[in-house]
Amino acid sequence: MQEEAEARQVFTPEMIDTMARIWTRSIITLIDVRFQNVASQYPLEQYKMPCSMLIYACGGEAQIQLNETTFGMERFGLVHGGKGSLLSISPKGEPVKAFMVFYKAELPLFFKKYLQQLLEQVNPFVQQFGYTPSNPILLLDWFQLMLKGWNRGNAMDQLQAKSFLYQLIHGVYRDFEGGEIRYLQPDPACSAKIYLDKHYREPIMFQEIADTFGISGGQLTRLFKKKEGMSLQEYLIRRRIEAACHDLKHTEATIKEIATGSGFADEKNLFRMFKKYYKMTPSDYRKINALSMQVDGIDNDSHIHYNERELASLVKSYRDGESAMFGQARSKEMILAAAMSLMLLLSACTSGTPANNGGTVNPTPAQTQQTTQPEVSEAVSQTRTISTVFGDVEVPNNPQRIVVDYLVGDVVALGVTPLGVSRAARTTETEAVFAKQITDSIKIAMEPEDVMTLEPDLIILAWGDEKYEDLSKIAPTIYVPYGDMTTEERIHFIGDVLNKQEEAKAVLNAYAKKIEEAKLSLQNAGLSDMTITMGEFSDKNNSVAGDKHAVGELVYNQLQMKAPPKVQTDIIEANKYWGDISMEVLAAYVGDYLISLGDNEVPADNAVWKSLPAVEHNRIVTVGSSLSWSTDIMTSSALIDHIVNQLITLAK
């Protein structure tokens, strides 16, 4: 019932409220207002939208198409699409009047972070929808007045035209809120299937498909699976495998060319899929089909000689699809066996197989021991779907070759030793708290060509999301937005990714216990009411940290220690990561104790610095970069011990 409700009405009250908030805070520029009569003999075809657009069509019956989505309109229809969408209007009889409003939306700096968080939930500027307005005549008047005002060209009239744009959007959302409207919305699952059938050879981001309907990747996946009986990933890999099978049988292209042409990231991915699901290489598949086609061909221009015992001079395929003639005699029994193999393979090729959109899962020992062709349901059970900020990702149930770039301590804490770790994550330093656990891990630069050499089956990325698309072509890639997650949310999320849910609970329980014990120790030492200032200090510049900093979040939010009033008002309440404070006014920001972050030398000879009470009484805790740089749970746990022990020692 939930999926049916989602198909009938995409926009929930929560989504409508979020969209209204985004429109209220965003900078909207009205770019143009146009009108066009569209006749059936001269339809508007594949017009690429230069920006976000509202299209209001009225008159006769027509079809309005945005990209691969077709909306059926009887007399009135309002359609919205984002920049780059392809618009077509095809009247079925009498001409259609089409009003087009072009606009651009930008995020103001003041609300940028807030709006970016909302846009991760729903983006009203790229949404694709169509419906019949509840009051089509009123909207027609608004569009006509907007067109007239815009065409007059003076500032006041164009300002009025922009005000009508806001009235239109308000009217649309009121219609959505009332619910008594007829959506011109097709089945998202059907449109997604059309898109995959057309673009399966290209890199696919499922979230981008979902965005065109204004729904989440999870919603689209549920709707698609209910209708098609398989996930989007399964369907995509099926189309790519079918294309590869066809090219292996009917072309002389190399394996590398076929892999690229079928939509796989590279030939390694194609090899892995064939080895996993067909228990053979693409070259072996080509050989068997070459033999079978020689037997089954009935109307060839040239015929293979028959020497009264068997077929001679069969074509032998080897390496990457090259061909050579060989004269070894094959028995009829051998040829029939090849034909039988072909029948089994064809049945496998037409069945659904799960996708990995860039990576594969190494078969388990149980899979390796199988001698029969695996059923689709068995293959699907080897992967799970994880919802991420970049859409749903199919990950292996039991990943063996994991590459991690930044949150190495989180992965290690869950009992997993990564195959590869990023050099940039300070994992090579002997003082790193997880250094002993990763002595056998390979240190690499997180560049796609370096990651590819490890042949991972899972990549966990938390730094440099611009690399996500390239890395996701190598293996399933999970992006962890650690800055937007609490420690508890992050560990549960990574635990789900690694299928280590129970381990995640145990780790978090131990961490919560450590926090409570640390708070009790500070209280017993008389430090609960002391104020703490932390930052990087020098003669030239002082950067005081707020609770957005990794150490600040731990000290102020988790250990619940107090910040000096100026730090609280000027940095924490101002939602700043750092506050740059000159030496002359630093005293107002310094509390009872100082935590010096990083490896810089504190300004010991500076007169102002020496006059600070915390400095004068030697109440300074030094936290090196190996502890202050990372936010993973192992480093945070070690940091708690370090800070609490140092504070208690100084208090004595």
Side-chain angles (χ1 to χ4, degrees):
M1 293 300 293
Q2 180 181 358
E3 288 83 356
E4 292 175 5
E6 289 169 354
R8 287 196 301 269
Q9 179 170 334
V10 169
F11 302 106
T12 64
E14 294 77 16
M15 292 173 65
I16 296 169
D17 181 74
T18 300
M19 293 187 295
R21 290 176 185 273
I22 294 172
W23 266 91
T24 302
R25 298 297 190 188
S26 299
I27 300 172
I28 306 297
T29 303
L30 181 59
I31 295 176
D32 199 3
V33 182
R34 301 178 189 174
F35 172 79
Q36 183 173 345
N37 271 312
V38 184
S40 58
Q41 59 269 41
Y42 301 108
L44 178 67
E45 294 183 333
Q46 299 292 292
Y47 172 71
K48 188 172 184 179
M49 295 182 181
C51 56
S52 299
M53 284 178 60
L54 276 169
I55 303 100
Y56 187 65
C58 57
E61 188 177 355
Q63 281 192 341
I64 303 176
Q65 182 174 340
L66 281 177
N67 298 323
E68 280 77 31
T69 305
T70 301
F71 302 96
M73 186 197 83
E74 294 180 358
R75 293 186 60 207
F76 300 95
L78 181 68
V79 175
H80 181 274
K83 179 180 179 180
S85 299
L86 297 177
L87 171 67
S88 298
I89 301 177
S90 304
K92 292 187 176 181
E94 59 183 282
V96 169
K97 298 177 181 179
F99 295 86
M100 302 179 187
V101 177
F102 300 73
Y103 74 92
K104 180 180 179 182
E106 297 175 283
L107 304 184
L109 290 177
F110 187 74
F111 291 109
K112 188 170 184 179
K113 185 174 181 180
Y114 169 70
L115 290 175
Q116 283 175 336
Q117 292 173 345
L118 295 181
L119 287 170
E120 290 176 0
Q121 303 173 37
V122 57
N123 189 336
F125 308 125
V126 300
Q127 277 177 333
Q128 182 173 299
F129 63 79
Y131 82 104
T132 300
S134 59
N135 192 337
I137 302 303
L138 176 62
L139 259 65
L140 178 59
D141 288 342
W142 282 352
F143 274 99
Q144 289 174 334
L145 290 171
M146 182 185 294
L147 179 67
K148 290 179 182 178
W150 185 261
N151 287 338
R152 288 193 190 101
N154 64 66
M156 289 298 292
D157 286 329
Q158 291 193 344
L159 177 61
Q160 184 185 37
K162 185 175 181 179
S163 73
F164 278 119
L165 172 60
Y166 284 101
Q167 291 185 60
L168 283 169
I169 294 299
H170 180 263
V172 168
Y173 289 173
R174 282 297 186 197
D175 279 348
F176 290 165
E177 198 173 46
E180 299 300 322
I181 56 175
R182 185 174 68 84
Y183 284 93
L184 305 180
Q185 180 191 328
D187 188 343
C190 288
S191 296
K193 184 178 180 181
I194 292 171
Y195 183 88
L196 294 181
D197 285 340
K198 184 176 180 180
H199 299 283
Y200 68 90
R201 296 178 186 270
E202 306 167 12
I204 300 291
M205 292 289 288
F206 295 133
Q207 186 59 50
E208 291 180 1
I209 303 176
D211 286 343
T212 62
F213 300 102
I215 62 178
S216 69
Q219 287 175 314
L220 179 61
T221 297
R222 289 196 300 274
L223 293 171
F224 190 91
K225 193 163 189 176
K226 182 175 181 180
K227 188 174 186 66
E228 300 297 330
M230 65 184 75
S231 69
L232 289 159
Q233 291 275 14
E234 292 173 59
Y235 187 81
L236 176 61
I237 201 64
R238 174 180 175 178
R239 297 294 291 116
R240 289 173 172 173
I241 285 285
E242 286 176 352
C245 289
H246 178 274
D247 292 344
L248 286 167
K249 288 191 292 185
H250 299 291
T251 74
E252 292 296 325
T254 65
I255 302 298
K256 183 176 181 180
E257 291 168 341
I258 290 173
T260 303
S262 303
F264 292 98
D266 53 36
E267 57 187 315
K268 286 184 179 180
N269 274 324
L270 181 60
F271 267 93
R272 289 172 187 163
M273 285 296 178
F274 266 83
K275 290 289 287 184
K276 181 176 181 180
Y277 297 110
Y278 302 145
K279 306 303 180 189
M280 65 179 68
T281 66
S283 297
D284 292 335
Y285 180 87
R286 174 174 263 169
K287 291 178 188 177
I288 293 174
N289 280 278
L291 291 173
S292 140
M293 292 176 70
Q294 294 291 345
V295 175
D296 296 334
I298 60 174
D299 192 27
N300 298 322
D301 293 330
S302 59
H303 299 278
I304 298 175
H305 296 295
Y306 183 73
N307 63 4
E308 297 183 346
R309 291 179 59 249
E310 56 216 346
L311 295 172
S313 302
L314 292 175
V315 175
K316 179 180 181 181
S317 299
Y318 67 108
R319 294 180 186 170
D320 285 344
E322 299 173 4
S323 299
M325 302 302 294
F326 68 102
Q328 294 177 331
R330 303 283 183 178
S331 66
K332 294 179 181 178
E333 290 80 8
M334 181 67 181
I335 297 170
L336 289 174
M340 291 296 292
S341 298
L342 173 66
M343 293 174 63
L344 291 173
L345 286 165
L346 288 176
S347 65
C349 191
T350 56
S351 64
T353 54
N356 199 317
N357 206 24
T360 59
V361 183
N362 292 331
T364 63
Q367 289 176 298
T368 306
Q369 292 171 3
Q370 289 180 336
T371 56
T372 58
Q373 183 70 21
E375 298 293 333
V376 174
S377 60
E378 294 175 359
V380 172
S381 68
Q382 302 305 313
T383 62
R384 295 171 296 113
T385 300
I386 300 294
S387 294
T388 77
V389 294
F390 287 125
D392 289 353
V393 179
E394 293 279 339
V395 302
N397 272 339
N398 184 29
Q400 300 296 311
R401 303 174 64 83
I402 302 169
V403 172
V404 187
D405 74 329
Y406 178 57
L407 299 171
V408 179
D410 287 346
V411 174
V412 172
L414 295 174
V416 176
T417 301
L419 169 68
V421 295
S422 171
R423 294 190 189 124
R426 294 189 181 269
T427 54
T428 58
E429 310 227 7
T430 56
E431 66 268 31
V433 296
F434 42 78
K436 293 182 180 179
Q437 288 90 336
I438 60 167
T439 52
D440 295 329
S441 300
I442 301 170
K443 284 73 176 179
I444 61 170
M446 283 300 291
E447 298 299 328
E449 55 270 26
D450 295 313
V451 175
M452 188 180 297
T453 61
L454 299 183
E455 298 184 356
D457 56 9
L458 179 66
I459 301 170
I460 298 179
L461 180 69
W463 192 274
D465 57 347
E466 69 275 4
K467 298 178 182 177
Y468 175 84
E469 185 173 350
D470 290 334
L471 291 175
S472 64
K473 296 175 183 177
I474 300 169
T477 301
I478 298 294
Y479 180 71
V480 184
Y482 65 95
D484 299 325
M485 288 179 157
T486 64
T487 300
E488 184 176 3
E489 290 170 343
R490 193 181 71 244
I491 294 300
H492 277 307
F493 178 71
I494 296 177
D496 287 338
V497 171
L498 298 175
N499 209 4
K500 298 281 186 180
Q501 293 86 351
E502 293 303 317
E503 289 85 346
K505 291 179 183 178
V507 167
L508 287 171
N509 287 338
Y511 187 73
K513 183 179 179 181
K514 177 180 284 291
I515 291 287
E516 292 305 314
E517 290 174 348
K519 288 160 64 177
L520 182 59
S521 297
L522 292 170
Q523 181 180 348
N524 292 337
L527 293 165
S528 297
D529 295 326
M530 296 292 121
T531 56
I532 305 289
T533 300
M534 66 197 69
E536 296 180 357
F537 307 101
S538 68
D539 285 316
K540 296 181 179 179
N541 185 52
N542 298 287
S543 298
V544 175
D547 63 351
K548 300 302 179 186
H549 187 280
V551 183
E553 199 278 334
L554 188 148
V555 171
Y556 294 138
N557 297 337
Q558 296 186 37
L559 294 179
Q560 296 181 346
M561 301 199 74
K562 296 180 179 180
K566 287 287 284 182
V567 174
Q568 182 68 34
T569 56
D570 294 359
I571 301 175
I572 296 177
E573 292 178 6
N575 204 29
K576 293 181 180 179
Y577 188 88
W578 292 105
D580 292 329
I581 311 299
S582 67
M583 186 61 72
E584 289 73 17
V585 296
L586 181 61
Y589 292 83
V590 173
D592 299 307
Y593 287 81
L594 278 170
I595 297 179
S596 177
L597 305 175
D599 300 322
N600 294 332
E601 291 290 333
V602 295
D605 296 331
N606 186 286
V608 176
W609 175 261
K610 292 168 65 175
S611 68
L612 298 173
V615 176
E616 185 178 357
H617 295 94
N618 193 29
R619 295 197 290 263
I620 304 175
V621 175
T622 301
V623 177
S625 59
S626 61
L627 287 178
S628 64
W629 192 82
S630 183
T631 60
D632 67 83
I633 198 164
M634 288 188 69
T635 303
S636 295
S637 183
L639 183 58
I640 291 170
D641 291 337
H642 177 77
I643 291 176
V644 172
N645 291 337
Q646 290 292 312
L647 285 173
I648 292 174
T649 299
L650 293 174
K652 292 178 181 179

